[in-house]
């Protein structure tokens, strides 16, 4: 786990907290918003809080946050 950092996506600033197993907890407007992870196909996905399983769906916001995370690390 690493230190938290901030990314800006579509005018919104998100706080990103790296967690274990390449997952990230995302805060939006100062409140915990979601958890995301990248699958083996490099697609970013939300994680269901109840089951801790990835949610297979099209989610442009999650994809954009994931791309910003990638840019942060490059």
């Amino acid at each position: 786990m690493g230190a938290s950092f901030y990314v800006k996506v579509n005018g919104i600033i998100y706080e990103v907290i790296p967690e274990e197993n390449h997952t990230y907890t995302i805060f939006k407007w100062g409140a915990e918003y979601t958890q995301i992870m990248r699958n083996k196909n490099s697609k970013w996905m939300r994680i269901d809080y109840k089951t801790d399983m990835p949610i297979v769906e099209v989610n442009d916001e999650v994809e954009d946050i994931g791309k910003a995370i990638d840019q942060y690390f490059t």
Side-chain angles (χ1 to χ4, degrees):
M1 297 190 304
S4 69
F5 58 93
Y6 295 87
V7 297
K8 186 175 183 179
V9 177
N10 300 323
I12 299 171
I13 297 174
Y14 298 89
E15 182 179 6
V16 179
I17 301 175
E19 305 286 352
E20 296 177 0
N21 300 321
H22 305 289
T23 63
Y24 299 87
T25 299
I26 309 299
F27 285 76
K28 181 178 182 180
W29 297 312
E32 187 169 341
Y33 180 58
T34 192
Q35 281 191 311
I36 66 173
M37 67 174 292
R38 184 184 7 234
N39 71 9
K40 294 177 184 177
N41 298 326
S42 296
K43 172 127 177 80
W44 288 92
M45 299 181 297
R46 284 188 317 119
I47 298 172
D48 185 285
Y49 281 109
K50 293 178 184 173
T51 65
D52 285 332
M53 298 296 295
I55 299 170
V56 179
E57 66 180 357
V58 175
N59 188 318
D60 292 335
E61 182 182 27
V62 168
E63 280 291 325
D64 291 344
I65 294 169
K67 288 176 188 174
I69 292 170
D70 287 339
Q71 289 175 350
Y72 177 84
F73 285 114
T74 56

